[in-house]
Amino acid sequence: MLKLEYVSVTRGKTATLHDVSLTLAPAKTLAVVGESGAGKSTLLAAVLGLVRLSRGSVTWMDDAVHRCHPALVMQEPRAAFNPALSLRRSVGEPLKARKLTLDKARLERLCRGLELPPDLLDRRPSEVSIGQAQRVGILRALIAAPALVLFDEPLSALDAVTQKHTARLISELQVEEKFAALIVTHDLGYAAAHSDEIAVLRSGRIEEIATAEAFIERPQTDYGRTLRDAAFSLGALEGAA
Ligand SMILES: Nc1ncnc2c1ncn2[C@@H]1O[C@H](COP(=O)(O)OP(=O)(O)OP(=O)(O)O)[C@@H](O)[C@H]1O
Ligand SMILES: [Mg+2]
């Protein structure tokens, strides 16, 4: 289980995370929703050990998180890759870093699951669509079979149809691969449809945490209600609850 206890991060003079406590069980999905600047990316950086905590702790199975080799899917699909390398080389990087050998059958299975033709990996990042690049980003995240995968706005660079498709593929792969998913997003419709629990992050603090159904049905805070109602009025929650 991923456990954050009283995680606080101070950047410059201002605190960007205040006493954030969260848990995420293996194979489950927790969506952290919040507006731009709420601290979502900082939260992921804290989980990955990329920023110093001024207080609190982050553990996976009561051990340091890096020991479980968490993977990150980034917001900007093309920027996530070295433009000079073939996608195949980039996808192999997590294996190389851990001195693991490529399981070809696994690569083929993941490519099928992500609807990526195998020879697409011989191209460079600039030679594929954004949607394809994001699915290769997911492939790279999953190649070494991590128990924990972090998603930083995984759909926000994609058009609406591609968003739906990619969200479905992520959910289907999670059923097969059984990784725990921590998804940060401003998209409550996505969070409601594809997560077990929703945590609302506002100005670096967790405002409320609930199951996705309970949150959509009955937010506990004014801010939660504002987010929910805004998503309803945009039609983003149709079919989510
Ligand atoms: N390297 C940094 N140095 C100082 N302050 C930073 C740094 N990175 C982020 N911040 C500040 O921390 C706060 C949280 O930023 P963060 O990037 O975590 O937000 P976010 O929720 O991911 O936003 P977005 O949805 O726009 O990606 C913001 O006020 C931001 O200005
Ligand atoms: Mg961010």
PDB file of all heavy atoms in Angstrom, residues 76-97:
ATOM      1  N   GLU A  76       2.815  15.608 -21.122  1.00  0.00           N
ATOM      2  CA  GLU A  76       3.106  15.970 -22.515  1.00  0.00           C
ATOM      3  C   GLU A  76       3.750  14.770 -23.196  1.00  0.00           C
ATOM      4  O   GLU A  76       4.942  14.535 -23.036  1.00  0.00           O
ATOM      5  CB  GLU A  76       4.079  17.154 -22.556  1.00  0.00           C
ATOM      6  CG  GLU A  76       3.513  18.444 -21.989  1.00  0.00           C
ATOM      7  CD  GLU A  76       2.365  18.966 -22.831  1.00  0.00           C
ATOM      8  OE1 GLU A  76       2.316  18.648 -24.046  1.00  0.00           O
ATOM      9  OE2 GLU A  76       1.522  19.668 -22.279  1.00  0.00           O
ATOM     10  N   PRO A  77       2.980  14.022 -23.984  1.00  0.00           N
ATOM     11  CA  PRO A  77       3.490  12.747 -24.495  1.00  0.00           C
ATOM     12  C   PRO A  77       4.805  12.868 -25.263  1.00  0.00           C
ATOM     13  O   PRO A  77       5.734  12.109 -25.014  1.00  0.00           O
ATOM     14  CB  PRO A  77       2.380  12.259 -25.412  1.00  0.00           C
ATOM     15  CG  PRO A  77       1.158  12.967 -24.951  1.00  0.00           C
ATOM     16  CD  PRO A  77       1.599  14.277 -24.389  1.00  0.00           C
ATOM     17  N   ARG A  78       4.908  13.846 -26.168  1.00  0.00           N
ATOM     18  CA  ARG A  78       6.120  13.889 -26.987  1.00  0.00           C
ATOM     19  C   ARG A  78       7.321  14.359 -26.197  1.00  0.00           C
ATOM     20  O   ARG A  78       8.427  13.864 -26.366  1.00  0.00           O
ATOM     21  CB  ARG A  78       5.913  14.777 -28.203  1.00  0.00           C
ATOM     22  CG  ARG A  78       5.031  14.101 -29.249  1.00  0.00           C
ATOM     23  CD  ARG A  78       5.491  14.514 -30.629  1.00  0.00           C
ATOM     24  NE  ARG A  78       4.557  14.073 -31.644  1.00  0.00           N
ATOM     25  CZ  ARG A  78       3.643  14.862 -32.209  1.00  0.00           C
ATOM     26  NH1 ARG A  78       3.544  16.129 -31.850  1.00  0.00           N
ATOM     27  NH2 ARG A  78       2.843  14.388 -33.120  1.00  0.00           N
ATOM     28  N   ALA A  79       7.069  15.322 -25.292  1.00  0.00           N
ATOM     29  CA  ALA A  79       8.175  15.865 -24.494  1.00  0.00           C
ATOM     30  C   ALA A  79       8.735  14.823 -23.527  1.00  0.00           C
ATOM     31  O   ALA A  79       9.825  14.986 -22.995  1.00  0.00           O
ATOM     32  CB  ALA A  79       7.691  17.087 -23.714  1.00  0.00           C
ATOM     33  N   ALA A  80       7.976  13.739 -23.336  1.00  0.00           N
ATOM     34  CA  ALA A  80       8.412  12.706 -22.387  1.00  0.00           C
ATOM     35  C   ALA A  80       9.521  11.832 -22.970  1.00  0.00           C
ATOM     36  O   ALA A  80      10.134  11.053 -22.262  1.00  0.00           O
ATOM     37  CB  ALA A  80       7.222  11.838 -21.983  1.00  0.00           C
ATOM     38  N   PHE A  81       9.758  11.963 -24.297  1.00  0.00           N
ATOM     39  CA  PHE A  81      10.743  11.101 -24.952  1.00  0.00           C
ATOM     40  C   PHE A  81      11.940  11.896 -25.459  1.00  0.00           C
ATOM     41  O   PHE A  81      11.807  13.051 -25.842  1.00  0.00           O
ATOM     42  CB  PHE A  81      10.103  10.390 -26.153  1.00  0.00           C
ATOM     43  CG  PHE A  81       9.036   9.421 -25.754  1.00  0.00           C
ATOM     44  CD1 PHE A  81       7.702   9.748 -25.895  1.00  0.00           C
ATOM     45  CD2 PHE A  81       9.370   8.188 -25.228  1.00  0.00           C
ATOM     46  CE1 PHE A  81       6.708   8.857 -25.520  1.00  0.00           C
ATOM     47  CE2 PHE A  81       8.396   7.287 -24.841  1.00  0.00           C
ATOM     48  CZ  PHE A  81       7.059   7.625 -24.986  1.00  0.00           C
ATOM     49  N   ASN A  82      13.088  11.247 -25.507  1.00  0.00           N
ATOM     50  CA  ASN A  82      14.258  11.832 -26.165  1.00  0.00           C
ATOM     51  C   ASN A  82      13.978  11.849 -27.670  1.00  0.00           C
ATOM     52  O   ASN A  82      13.781  10.792 -28.276  1.00  0.00           O
ATOM     53  CB  ASN A  82      15.482  10.963 -25.838  1.00  0.00           C
ATOM     54  CG  ASN A  82      16.751  11.508 -26.448  1.00  0.00           C
ATOM     55  OD1 ASN A  82      16.712  12.218 -27.460  1.00  0.00           O
ATOM     56  ND2 ASN A  82      17.871  11.183 -25.843  1.00  0.00           N
ATOM     57  N   PRO A  83      13.949  13.053 -28.302  1.00  0.00           N
ATOM     58  CA  PRO A  83      13.549  13.130 -29.717  1.00  0.00           C
ATOM     59  C   PRO A  83      14.507  12.418 -30.661  1.00  0.00           C
ATOM     60  O   PRO A  83      14.131  12.055 -31.768  1.00  0.00           O
ATOM     61  CB  PRO A  83      13.522  14.646 -29.994  1.00  0.00           C
ATOM     62  CG  PRO A  83      14.323  15.270 -28.913  1.00  0.00           C
ATOM     63  CD  PRO A  83      14.232  14.368 -27.714  1.00  0.00           C
ATOM     64  N   ALA A  84      15.733  12.195 -30.216  1.00  0.00           N
ATOM     65  CA  ALA A  84      16.739  11.575 -31.094  1.00  0.00           C
ATOM     66  C   ALA A  84      16.657  10.053 -31.099  1.00  0.00           C
ATOM     67  O   ALA A  84      17.228   9.408 -31.974  1.00  0.00           O
ATOM     68  CB  ALA A  84      18.141  12.024 -30.655  1.00  0.00           C
ATOM     69  N   LEU A  85      15.975   9.500 -30.134  1.00  0.00           N
ATOM     70  CA  LEU A  85      15.954   8.033 -30.017  1.00  0.00           C
ATOM     71  C   LEU A  85      14.689   7.448 -30.624  1.00  0.00           C
ATOM     72  O   LEU A  85      13.636   8.088 -30.609  1.00  0.00           O
ATOM     73  CB  LEU A  85      15.998   7.614 -28.545  1.00  0.00           C
ATOM     74  CG  LEU A  85      17.228   7.975 -27.714  1.00  0.00           C
ATOM     75  CD1 LEU A  85      17.109   7.350 -26.324  1.00  0.00           C
ATOM     76  CD2 LEU A  85      18.506   7.518 -28.404  1.00  0.00           C
ATOM     77  N   SER A  86      14.797   6.222 -31.129  1.00  0.00           N
ATOM     78  CA  SER A  86      13.586   5.514 -31.545  1.00  0.00           C
ATOM     79  C   SER A  86      12.761   5.261 -30.290  1.00  0.00           C
ATOM     80  O   SER A  86      13.294   5.175 -29.173  1.00  0.00           O
ATOM     81  CB  SER A  86      13.938   4.179 -32.198  1.00  0.00           C
ATOM     82  OG  SER A  86      14.375   3.260 -31.226  1.00  0.00           O
ATOM     83  N   LEU A  87      11.448   5.146 -30.504  1.00  0.00           N
ATOM     84  CA  LEU A  87      10.576   4.870 -29.350  1.00  0.00           C
ATOM     85  C   LEU A  87      10.942   3.533 -28.713  1.00  0.00           C
ATOM     86  O   LEU A  87      10.854   3.370 -27.502  1.00  0.00           O
ATOM     87  CB  LEU A  87       9.118   4.892 -29.804  1.00  0.00           C
ATOM     88  CG  LEU A  87       8.625   6.283 -30.210  1.00  0.00           C
ATOM     89  CD1 LEU A  87       7.306   6.195 -30.970  1.00  0.00           C
ATOM     90  CD2 LEU A  87       8.454   7.188 -28.986  1.00  0.00           C
ATOM     91  N   ARG A  88      11.414   2.591 -29.536  1.00  0.00           N
ATOM     92  CA  ARG A  88      11.793   1.281 -28.996  1.00  0.00           C
ATOM     93  C   ARG A  88      12.926   1.422 -27.965  1.00  0.00           C
ATOM     94  O   ARG A  88      12.895   0.798 -26.909  1.00  0.00           O
ATOM     95  CB  ARG A  88      12.224   0.350 -30.142  1.00  0.00           C
ATOM     96  CG  ARG A  88      12.362  -1.114 -29.734  1.00  0.00           C
ATOM     97  CD  ARG A  88      12.770  -1.992 -30.921  1.00  0.00           C
ATOM     98  NE  ARG A  88      11.795  -1.959 -32.006  1.00  0.00           N
ATOM     99  CZ  ARG A  88      10.654  -2.656 -32.012  1.00  0.00           C
ATOM    100  NH1 ARG A  88      10.350  -3.439 -31.005  1.00  0.00           N
ATOM    101  NH2 ARG A  88       9.828  -2.588 -33.047  1.00  0.00           N
ATOM    102  N   ARG A  89      13.902   2.267 -28.303  1.00  0.00           N
ATOM    103  CA  ARG A  89      15.007   2.489 -27.353  1.00  0.00           C
ATOM    104  C   ARG A  89      14.480   3.097 -26.054  1.00  0.00           C
ATOM    105  O   ARG A  89      14.849   2.679 -24.959  1.00  0.00           O
ATOM    106  CB  ARG A  89      16.057   3.447 -27.943  1.00  0.00           C
ATOM    107  CG  ARG A  89      16.966   2.845 -28.990  1.00  0.00           C
ATOM    108  CD  ARG A  89      18.267   2.279 -28.417  1.00  0.00           C
ATOM    109  NE  ARG A  89      19.084   3.188 -27.628  1.00  0.00           N
ATOM    110  CZ  ARG A  89      20.006   4.018 -28.115  1.00  0.00           C
ATOM    111  NH1 ARG A  89      20.218   4.091 -29.419  1.00  0.00           N
ATOM    112  NH2 ARG A  89      20.727   4.764 -27.313  1.00  0.00           N
ATOM    113  N   SER A  90      13.595   4.106 -26.194  1.00  0.00           N
ATOM    114  CA  SER A  90      13.043   4.766 -25.004  1.00  0.00           C
ATOM    115  C   SER A  90      12.234   3.793 -24.149  1.00  0.00           C
ATOM    116  O   SER A  90      12.313   3.825 -22.922  1.00  0.00           O
ATOM    117  CB  SER A  90      12.167   5.949 -25.392  1.00  0.00           C
ATOM    118  OG  SER A  90      12.964   6.981 -25.918  1.00  0.00           O
ATOM    119  N   VAL A  91      11.461   2.946 -24.823  1.00  0.00           N
ATOM    120  CA  VAL A  91      10.635   1.984 -24.076  1.00  0.00           C
ATOM    121  C   VAL A  91      11.522   1.012 -23.296  1.00  0.00           C
ATOM    122  O   VAL A  91      11.169   0.570 -22.199  1.00  0.00           O
ATOM    123  CB  VAL A  91       9.682   1.227 -25.044  1.00  0.00           C
ATOM    124  CG1 VAL A  91       9.067   0.003 -24.384  1.00  0.00           C
ATOM    125  CG2 VAL A  91       8.594   2.167 -25.537  1.00  0.00           C
ATOM    126  N   GLY A  92      12.711   0.730 -23.844  1.00  0.00           N
ATOM    127  CA  GLY A  92      13.619  -0.199 -23.167  1.00  0.00           C
ATOM    128  C   GLY A  92      14.370   0.397 -21.983  1.00  0.00           C
ATOM    129  O   GLY A  92      14.957  -0.343 -21.183  1.00  0.00           O
ATOM    130  N   GLU A  93      14.319   1.731 -21.855  1.00  0.00           N
ATOM    131  CA  GLU A  93      15.131   2.389 -20.809  1.00  0.00           C
ATOM    132  C   GLU A  93      14.859   1.906 -19.379  1.00  0.00           C
ATOM    133  O   GLU A  93      15.809   1.656 -18.634  1.00  0.00           O
ATOM    134  CB  GLU A  93      14.976   3.908 -20.897  1.00  0.00           C
ATOM    135  CG  GLU A  93      15.925   4.518 -21.913  1.00  0.00           C
ATOM    136  CD  GLU A  93      15.563   5.958 -22.247  1.00  0.00           C
ATOM    137  OE1 GLU A  93      14.577   6.475 -21.689  1.00  0.00           O
ATOM    138  OE2 GLU A  93      16.272   6.539 -23.081  1.00  0.00           O
ATOM    139  N   PRO A  94      13.583   1.772 -18.981  1.00  0.00           N
ATOM    140  CA  PRO A  94      13.358   1.321 -17.593  1.00  0.00           C
ATOM    141  C   PRO A  94      13.948  -0.066 -17.324  1.00  0.00           C
ATOM    142  O   PRO A  94      14.359  -0.355 -16.204  1.00  0.00           O
ATOM    143  CB  PRO A  94      11.832   1.283 -17.467  1.00  0.00           C
ATOM    144  CG  PRO A  94      11.312   2.102 -18.582  1.00  0.00           C
ATOM    145  CD  PRO A  94      12.325   2.069 -19.674  1.00  0.00           C
ATOM    146  N   LEU A  95      13.978  -0.905 -18.361  1.00  0.00           N
ATOM    147  CA  LEU A  95      14.558  -2.250 -18.195  1.00  0.00           C
ATOM    148  C   LEU A  95      16.069  -2.140 -18.045  1.00  0.00           C
ATOM    149  O   LEU A  95      16.675  -2.762 -17.172  1.00  0.00           O
ATOM    150  CB  LEU A  95      14.215  -3.126 -19.406  1.00  0.00           C
ATOM    151  CG  LEU A  95      12.726  -3.421 -19.600  1.00  0.00           C
ATOM    152  CD1 LEU A  95      12.482  -4.074 -20.951  1.00  0.00           C
ATOM    153  CD2 LEU A  95      12.219  -4.323 -18.482  1.00  0.00           C
ATOM    154  N   LYS A  96      16.663  -1.311 -18.932  1.00  0.00           N
ATOM    155  CA  LYS A  96      18.115  -1.126 -18.905  1.00  0.00           C
ATOM    156  C   LYS A  96      18.565  -0.594 -17.547  1.00  0.00           C
ATOM    157  O   LYS A  96      19.541  -1.075 -16.960  1.00  0.00           O
ATOM    158  CB  LYS A  96      18.500  -0.124 -20.001  1.00  0.00           C
ATOM    159  CG  LYS A  96      19.746  -0.523 -20.780  1.00  0.00           C
ATOM    160  CD  LYS A  96      19.867   0.336 -22.015  1.00  0.00           C
ATOM    161  CE  LYS A  96      21.198   1.047 -22.016  1.00  0.00           C
ATOM    162  NZ  LYS A  96      21.293   2.039 -23.090  1.00  0.00           N
ATOM    163  N   ALA A  97      17.805   0.389 -17.050  1.00  0.00           N
ATOM    164  CA  ALA A  97      18.166   1.006 -15.767  1.00  0.00           C
ATOM    165  C   ALA A  97      18.193  -0.021 -14.641  1.00  0.00           C
ATOM    166  O   ALA A  97      18.938   0.123 -13.676  1.00  0.00           O
ATOM    167  CB  ALA A  97      17.172   2.124 -15.439  1.00  0.00           C
TER     168      ALA A  97
END
